Amino acid sequence: MKTVQTLTKMKQAGEKIACLTCYDFSFARLLADAGVDVLLVGDSVDMVAAGKTSTLGAAMEQMVYHTACVARGSGSALLVADMPFGSYEADNKDAFGNARRLIGDGGAHMVKVEGAAAADCVEFLSARGILVCGHLGLTPQHLHRLGGYKTQARGEAAAGQLLQDARRLQECGAAMLVVECVPPPAAAAVAETLTIPVIGIGAGAGCDGQILVLHDALGLYPGPSPAFAVNFMQRNNSIRGAVNDYVTSVKTGAFPPAG
Ligand code: KIV
């Protein structure tokens, strides 16, 4: 069974952590069998499975349902579930109740919240025994405030702010951190500074692990995919082969390409 302690030891040993999003039982079994370390039931489910144009409409019921589906097939992978927009920002007690549903009813091991402003919530949940993953950089739940899906933490001051926010989340008890769509040197500085595992998406090779949206990694999503995503089906002739290729590429450092 992969635990947060397993992932922290992997970071310390320099072994890269392979993560993918996952939304159903069959894929959970396939990904876990291929050696994916972390399965994230992302609120991206509302885009890739439900066909919406953003993650903002994802509901708790939906997240609990998909988390429970994934939990039945997740094997030894660590299972993380997204707290959807509106489920944790306003009230820490509500956040606890919603995290409890994802863990108690859905079977998640850890929940994920977006943004530096969630630090208090991270502290509240962590103090009550809940494993929390932070998410900084491009936080899709703040799409409108950010003005679109754009690279974040550009420039020295913004990279410094990213590092400060990451430190604060760790101090508040975050057990893991996702950094999305930030310049590779900024993400590498976060990974070097923090003791918790830092998982990158469009954030370069200096992170402790990588994550992609499954439908981007398999070229399944009909909408636009981010420029950093690689479709592993283009060089494999089966889904199993593509997922094995992704895991090997992350573990050997071939993905993402340096530079
Ligand atoms: O919802 C999601 O799929 C995510 C990943 C992009 C990290 O948060």
Side-chain angles (χ1 to χ4, degrees):
M1 188 67 205
K2 284 161 192 165
T3 62
V4 70
Q5 288 79 7
T6 316
L7 301 185
T8 304
K9 280 191 190 137
M10 287 170 77
K11 172 181 175 116
Q12 288 161 354
E15 185 187 338
K16 297 286 183 186
I17 302 165
C19 319
L20 280 171
T21 68
C22 188
Y23 316 98
D24 68 38
F25 166 76
S26 301
F27 267 114
R29 180 64 62 79
L30 190 151
L31 302 189
D33 286 352
V36 177
D37 300 304
V38 176
L39 304 185
L40 168 68
V41 185
D43 54 5
S44 50
V45 68
D46 215 25
M47 297 178 73
V48 300
K52 308 246 193 83
T53 54
S54 80
T55 62
L56 295 173
M60 271 308 298
E61 289 65 29
Q62 199 180 351
M63 296 308 299
V64 173
Y65 171 78
H66 284 282
T67 302
C69 294
V70 172
R72 290 181 203 112
S74 59
S76 64
L78 186 87
L79 178 51
V80 184
D82 258 341
M83 301 275 289
F85 179 60
S87 70
Y88 60 92
E89 298 89 337
D91 184 285
N92 285 341
K93 285 189 185 160
D94 283 352
F96 183 86
N98 287 326
R100 194 218 63 76
R101 288 183 66 193
L102 290 168
I103 294 165
D105 304 339
H109 304 129
M110 187 185 291
V111 297
K112 178 164 81 58
V113 295
E114 294 190 9
D120 283 352
C121 176
V122 171
E123 192 162 35
F124 187 90
L125 296 182
S126 302
R128 284 155 184 80
I130 292 180
L131 287 173
V132 190
C133 177
H135 184 158
L136 294 175
L138 171 54
T139 46
Q141 292 178 8
H142 307 132
L143 165 70
H144 299 307
R145 185 167 54 76
L146 299 177
Y149 296 109
K150 297 175 179 167
T151 301
Q152 302 297 307
R154 281 187 194 273
E156 214 176 301
Q161 186 63 53
L162 176 75
L163 186 54
Q164 196 177 312
D165 292 343
R167 275 202 177 108
R168 168 112 174 95
L169 287 175
Q170 177 172 276
E171 280 161 18
C172 286
M176 192 160 82
L177 179 68
V178 168
V179 283
E180 178 165 355
C181 214
V182 303
V190 172
E192 277 159 25
T193 305
L194 299 199
T195 55
I196 59 172
V198 176
I199 310 300
I201 170 163
C207 296
D208 304 311
Q210 300 293 327
I211 187 161
L212 281 178
V213 169
L214 178 64
H215 290 55
D216 291 336
L218 298 179
L220 290 174
Y221 185 56
S225 283
F228 56 75
V230 168
N231 173 2
F232 285 83
M233 284 302 284
Q234 275 174 349
R235 58 189 201 210
N236 291 281
N237 55 20
S238 71
I239 290 175
R240 205 168 288 278
V243 173
N244 285 336
D245 184 3
Y246 171 75
V247 173
T248 305
S249 299
V250 171
K251 299 276 178 195
T252 58
F255 176 80

